[in-house]
Amino acid sequence: MATYAGGLAGLAGAGGAVSVAVLRRSRRSWLTSGHALTGPTVADPLPGVVRLGLGGMTVRVIPGPRGELFLGPGAPQPGRTLRRLVLGPLFARATAADGKLWPGQEAPFRLVVEFGGTNRDPQALLRAYRMLDRQLRDHAGLLSRCRAGTLTAGAVTVTVTGVVDVRELLASQPERYAFADGTFDDLGSRSAPPDLVPMVSECWTRRFGWDGQEPITAEERHQLHALVRAAHDDGRTVRISGLPEGSRKARAAVWSELGAAGVDVIADTDLAGLARHLRRHPVSGTPRPHLPTRAVRRTAPRPNAPRAAGRHEQV
């Protein structure tokens, strides 16, 4: 096992080795609800995310030469790949620690891969997803996966966004190691069941006008709680991003409301502030180790609906 882990670290290269070292030095408790929005200008986001103990991050990748996916601004640069800077360090750490990224890990590290770049041709983007799929299958035992409609959690859950028609491609795979991103509009959808879209990601400003400056209205608080409860009843976790810009106090007010509503994943660009807040104010009811995967069919959220019994591991 140690030899295998060393080989993975070697493949990760010098930059990946640094990231692995940061992972190994981190002994603080991890914040499974904290999610880093690193932005396209950050070339090597993982070390900072790990130092803060955040339980997931979104990385923007651009397809490049030789079947690689590149991080950071500008044109693809040698060595600045998703495989070397993110996948290699994460999988090396998990392999060396009996399949866990940190002691007592109860929820997967949520890696959201956002495909960007100027080439938005659907076929080019689907080829880019296949690049990612090949890289993930090299470490299948460490990943959350879906086989025959059953979700099994791993050390890392990969969600794909920004690829046109990726849902159709994912649904055609009898066993897959990545999942599609969704929204609250997917709740109860037969075309986007929880085994294909286990997490719904919503931009806060798409549905809510509250910016944290004043107390939240009763109507918006009720809507937030109802939507989160409906997603959980539908067998999905919830990730909220796109939070309003403002003072740290205003942002903390929004984080607090999201936590009180039971939002599973809070995503923000203020990584240090979010980490400090979550250590002081953990999200209510998380981590939830089990969630159902069978969708509940209904036309609208029911605020007082009972929770469905959990039967599968949270991914």
Side-chain angles (χ1 to χ4, degrees), residues 13-233:
V18 171
S19 297
V20 172
V22 171
L23 280 161
R24 286 174 175 163
R25 287 198 302 269
S26 179
R27 299 300 181 193
R28 68 187 69 188
S29 60
W30 283 65
L31 303 163
T32 57
S33 302
H35 190 92
L37 299 179
T38 58
T41 61
V42 181
D44 187 9
L46 183 61
V49 172
V50 171
R51 278 194 298 270
L52 292 169
L54 298 174
M57 68 177 182
T58 296
V59 292
R60 188 172 184 267
V61 299
I62 299 174
R66 296 178 294 279
E68 290 291 353
L69 302 170
F70 290 84
L71 280 67
Q77 298 295 320
R80 216 168 61 184
T81 65
L82 179 71
R83 187 205 304 260
R84 180 173 182 263
L85 297 177
V86 178
L87 299 183
L90 283 175
F91 294 142
R93 168 63 179 177
T95 300
D98 297 324
K100 292 185 180 296
L101 290 173
W102 60 88
Q105 182 180 3
E106 297 181 356
F109 183 91
R110 293 181 173 92
L111 176 63
V112 179
V113 180
E114 178 185 354
F115 285 80
T118 57
N119 186 0
R120 306 306 298 170
D121 174 68
Q123 290 304 313
L125 290 170
L126 289 176
R127 286 195 298 270
Y129 166 71
R130 293 188 179 97
M131 298 177 194
L132 174 64
D133 185 53
R134 287 194 295 270
Q135 294 181 16
L136 295 178
R137 288 178 185 273
D138 290 339
H139 311 283
L142 302 172
L143 289 163
S144 299
R145 59 191 178 275
C146 179
R147 178 188 297 168
T150 298
L151 299 177
T152 303
V156 180
T157 295
V158 178
T159 299
V160 176
T161 185
V163 182
V164 179
D165 297 330
V166 73
R167 291 186 181 185
E168 183 177 347
L169 178 57
L170 285 166
S172 69
Q173 296 178 307
E175 185 170 20
R176 57 179 174 272
Y177 301 94
F179 301 89
D181 202 17
T183 70
F184 285 120
D185 294 336
D186 290 314
L187 299 186
S189 169
R190 296 184 182 275
S191 62
D195 63 334
L196 178 63
V197 185
M199 181 171 70
V200 293
S201 301
E202 195 81 37
C203 177
W204 172 263
T205 54
R206 181 187 176 206
R207 292 182 184 269
F208 301 94
W210 181 61
D211 61 3
Q213 300 290 343
E214 302 292 338
I216 189 172
T217 65
E219 291 79 9
E220 288 204 304
R221 177 177 286 154
H222 173 80
Q223 181 185 12
L224 173 61
H225 283 248
L227 286 169
V228 173
R229 185 181 297 113
H232 289 170
D233 290 346

Side-chain angles (χ1 to χ4, degrees), residues 254-280:
V254 178
W255 296 333
S256 293
E257 286 295 338
L258 296 178
V263 172
D264 304 278
V265 182
I266 301 174
D268 207 337
T269 56
D270 183 1
L271 309 189
L274 177 61
R276 283 195 296 269
H277 179 84
L278 289 176
R279 292 194 190 284
R280 297 170 183 169

